[in-house]
Amino acid sequence: MALEKPYLDVPGTTIFDADQSRKGYWLNQFCMSLMKAENRTRFKADEDAYLAEWPMTDEQKAAVKARDLNWMMRTGGNIYFLSKLGATDGLSFQQMAGSMTGMTEQQYREMMLKGGRSPEGNRYIGENGDAQGPMAMSEAWKEWQEAHAQHALAEAIEQAEGAQPEGRATITASVYTSHVPAIGAAIDHGKTEEAYWKPLFAGYEPSKAWMKENTPDVIFLVYNDHATSFDLGVIPTFAIGTAAEFEPADEGYGARPVPKVQGDPELASHIAQSVIQQDFDLTIVNDLKVDHGLTVPLSLMFGQPEQWPCKVIPFHVNVVQYPVPSGQRCFALGQAIRKAIESYDKPIKVQIWGTGGMSHQLQGPRAGLINKEWDNRFLDRLVAEPAELAKVPHIEYVREAGSEGIELVMWLIARGAMADVAGGKAPSVAHRFFHVPASNTAVGHLILENNL
Ligand code: DHB
Ligand code: FE
């Protein structure tokens, strides 16, 4: 299913949605750069040279040079970003808005003085209002279109010929695992055979074998950023990574020597739009470095490949500064994510992973707390009665599983996305493992397969 876009039939209007944002990312970032005086000076001194520094399309650069705002919007620009370019040229918002209407500056000003444009006849495409005509275009845009008409036709034919096979995305399995940084360090420094680590890595051998047989196209990986990409300046409760690539972060020890993570901007944007339309307010992140919370689970499940064998959509949950989202909120979010993924019109296989936990406390005189009984009961209930488990309040996690044990609420997102929660069959347990300790933590691991 294409994204729900009820706004496409409003005349003379472009809504800046996830698709537009993806298209216009560098154009808008270029505009933002003009908020610095020194960049404005360099841009004005030599536009071509300044534009060459930005990975925008040739068309976006031509649109900027023509100062054609309709053209820039068509290629993904958003008016608040584009206004920085207008400001650099000394234009007011009224001049900028007016320039897109086909009216002269004077005519537009007079229309506004007379009370502004009427919505009558301008609510739907095809009515008889004054915003219904063809879009005002600069000579440069017209010339560009003529010169590229042949190319556009060839592209359209190519797209039609290479049409996607029919079908929808499916969630095939969910994977749950702790994400202790010391596990990553043991792998990176060749210590997996040491007596301390051997039993832990042995527990993931069946998982690696299972993964080889069941590699998905995309992993939707729920994790928490640990004061890495998000500092106390901005604290998103839920954030989805929509970029094409995510670099492993340097958390103070140097970046882990693991491959860059390849994202899936199209599916991530689809999920963002669908989940937000289901009333979960996600933060959309295009610029994100991923920490041990995301890379350690990948290493545990895939070992040390040259490239990760599938795409990964990072999904961050705030479990650092209270208030953190409740188990029930996470479980409901998982259900919304399932709906989003299953409405994506490509026949791809998606796994959803929940990471962090199990019991651990990294702070204060109670550091080192481990509660084996509580952890194993959590695993039992996660399999058999997740809706009941989701009702457990934060304070129980803290008291029983340690302050950092709260990471376990993220597992409920992955569990909420499984088929049985939406009335389907119960999942099968492909693998379960529990081990104490890794650094300060009890390590728990579970693989649940959907029976579709
Ligand atoms: C440890 C565990 C974590 O989940 C984490 O994010 C950092 C450290 C630990 O046990 O050392
Ligand atoms: Fe953690």
Side-chain angles (χ1 to χ4, degrees), residues 179-181 224 226 292-293 319 356-357 360 362 404 407 410:
H179 61 207
V180 181
N224 64 296
H226 301 77
H292 69 269
V319 288
H360 63 308
L362 300 175
E404 280 61 52
E407 287 183 340
M410 296 186 287

Side-chain angles (χ1 to χ4, degrees), residues 188-244:
D188 300 342
H189 298 118
K191 294 185 176 165
T192 57
E193 292 299 313
E194 288 183 2
Y196 180 90
W197 290 112
K198 216 173 158 149
L200 181 132
F201 289 105
Y204 283 83
E205 281 310 314
S207 319
K208 285 201 266 182
W210 178 88
M211 221 32 221
K212 281 213 170 80
E213 296 295 312
N214 295 281
T215 311
D217 299 292
V218 184
I219 296 166
F220 187 90
L221 203 158
V222 181
Y223 77 112
N224 64 296
D225 179 88
H226 301 77
T228 302
S229 278
F230 303 122
D231 59 21
L232 296 179
V234 179
I235 305 172
T237 298
F238 299 118
I240 184 164
T242 45

Side-chain angles (χ1 to χ4, degrees), residues 85-304:
L85 176 63
T88 301
D89 291 334
L91 298 178
S92 69
F93 263 99
Q94 188 170 83
Q95 287 169 314
M96 290 185 241
S99 79
M100 289 182 270
T101 61
M103 297 169 141
T104 64
E105 199 180 320
Q106 189 57 27
Q107 285 168 335
Y108 186 80
R109 230 177 103 77
E110 276 163 20
M111 176 181 81
M112 294 315 294
L113 279 171
K114 285 193 195 129
R117 189 188 302 281
S118 166
E120 293 310 319
N122 288 325
R123 292 189 173 92
Y124 294 90
I125 285 175
E127 293 181 314
N128 61 356
D130 55 5
Q132 296 275 351
M135 186 179 286
M137 292 172 82
S138 61
E139 287 308 311
W141 190 5
K142 287 182 199 156
E143 278 167 28
W144 176 278
Q145 279 206 334
E146 272 166 35
H148 293 79
Q150 207 58 31
H151 179 73
L153 185 65
E155 242 179 22
I157 292 170
E158 200 175 301
Q159 255 187 6
E161 281 172 350
Q164 289 289 333
E166 295 276 306
R168 294 280 167 90
T170 45
I171 297 177
T172 51
S174 50
V175 173
Y176 309 82
T177 179
S178 310
H179 61 207
V180 181
I183 295 176
I187 296 172
D188 300 342
H189 298 118
K191 294 185 176 165
T192 57
E193 292 299 313
E194 288 183 2
Y196 180 90
W197 290 112
K198 216 173 158 149
L200 181 132
F201 289 105
Y204 283 83
E205 281 310 314
S207 319
K208 285 201 266 182
W210 178 88
M211 221 32 221
K212 281 213 170 80
E213 296 295 312
N214 295 281
T215 311
D217 299 292
V218 184
I219 296 166
F220 187 90
L221 203 158
V222 181
Y223 77 112
N224 64 296
D225 179 88
H226 301 77
T228 302
S229 278
F230 303 122
D231 59 21
L232 296 179
V234 179
I235 305 172
T237 298
F238 299 118
I240 184 164
T242 45
E245 256 182 20
F246 305 93
E247 273 181 42
D250 179 346
E251 298 173 58
Y253 307 102
R256 289 193 62 210
V258 292
K260 267 191 204 166
V261 170
Q262 304 301 317
D264 188 336
E266 197 181 312
L267 175 58
S269 301
H270 171 89
I271 294 171
Q273 181 142 341
S274 168
V275 168
I276 292 169
Q277 282 171 345
Q278 295 177 69
D279 295 335
F280 286 89
D281 303 317
L282 305 186
T283 298
I284 293 166
V285 188
N286 283 307
D287 188 3
L288 177 71
K289 290 204 166 73
V290 287
D291 73 11
H292 69 269
L294 184 134
T295 62
V296 168
L298 289 176
S299 299
L300 279 168
M301 297 300 290
F302 293 117
Q304 294 173 289

